[in-house]
Amino acid sequence: MSATGKGRKRDALTQGVQDRVILLIEEWKEEWGAFSASALERKVASCLGIRCTRQGLMKKEAIKTAFDRRKAQVGKPAKSKSADVVVLEQRIKRLEQLLADKTNQVDQLQELVIRFRHNAKQMGFPADRLERPIAPLTSNTENSA
C-alpha cells in the first residue's frame, strides 16, 4: 500500500524515468500493438520495470506532450488506393484544371465585351443599337451581285 493507504504502490516518476518513458514513446514499434495510454502503461511496466498508472504518466507534461505528438503521428493507418481510385483522382485533377482554364477564358471574354460596349457607347452608338441581334451573314457572292 502507498503512504496514503489507498491503492497499489507506484514508483516515482523522476526526471530520468520520464526521459526513458519519452524514449519508449518515440521508439514505439507496431509489433507492440496499437499505441494508447493503457498500452504505454503496460510497456513501461514490462520494459522499464516501473509501476505507474496511465493517469500518473499523463500528469507529467513532458510525457503528455510526447504522447500527444506520437498519437498524432500514428493516426489511422493509410489504406492503399486501388488503381481505379488513382486514375479517377488524376482525372478529377485534370478536369478541375480544365475548368479553371475555361473559367479564366470566360472571364477574359467578359472583360473584352465590357470594353467593346464601353468603347461603342463612347463613339456614340445608341444602347438599343448595341442590343440588336446580329443580322445573318451573307457570302461575298451575294453581296457583289
Side-chain angles (χ1 to χ4, degrees), residues 100-118:
D101 293 344
K102 296 300 179 188
T103 302
N104 189 28
Q105 288 176 353
V106 167
D107 291 343
Q108 290 175 355
L109 289 172
Q110 285 176 336
E111 288 177 15
L112 185 67
V113 168
I114 290 169
R115 189 174 342 121
F116 285 179
R117 286 181 58 100
H118 171 76

Side-chain angles (χ1 to χ4, degrees), residues 4-23:
T4 60
K6 296 181 182 179
R8 301 179 297 189
K9 178 154 175 62
R10 303 289 177 207
D11 294 321
L13 291 174
T14 63
Q15 187 60 47
V17 169
Q18 288 181 46
D19 292 342
R20 289 172 35 201
V21 170
I22 291 170
L23 187 61

Side-chain angles (χ1 to χ4, degrees), residues 7 28 61-62 97:
W28 192 269
E61 191 60 37
Q97 183 61 47

Side-chain angles (χ1 to χ4, degrees), residues 2-75:
S2 66
T4 60
K6 296 181 182 179
R8 301 179 297 189
K9 178 154 175 62
R10 303 289 177 207
D11 294 321
L13 291 174
T14 63
Q15 187 60 47
V17 169
Q18 288 181 46
D19 292 342
R20 289 172 35 201
V21 170
I22 291 170
L23 187 61
L24 190 65
I25 290 170
E26 290 171 351
E27 295 178 352
W28 192 269
K29 295 177 175 50
E30 286 184 28
E31 57 264 14
W32 294 348
F35 183 72
S36 67
S38 56
L40 177 62
E41 176 186 1
R42 290 189 302 273
K43 194 48 95 172
V44 166
S46 66
C47 288
L48 304 179
I50 299 168
R51 297 170 303 198
C52 58
T53 62
R54 59 182 180 206
Q55 293 87 351
L57 289 170
M58 295 304 140
K59 282 184 182 177
K60 301 298 181 182
E61 191 60 37
I63 293 174
K64 176 143 179 52
T65 301
F67 179 85
D68 291 342
R69 184 176 42 240
R70 179 64 183 203
K71 195 70 172 169
Q73 287 174 350
V74 172

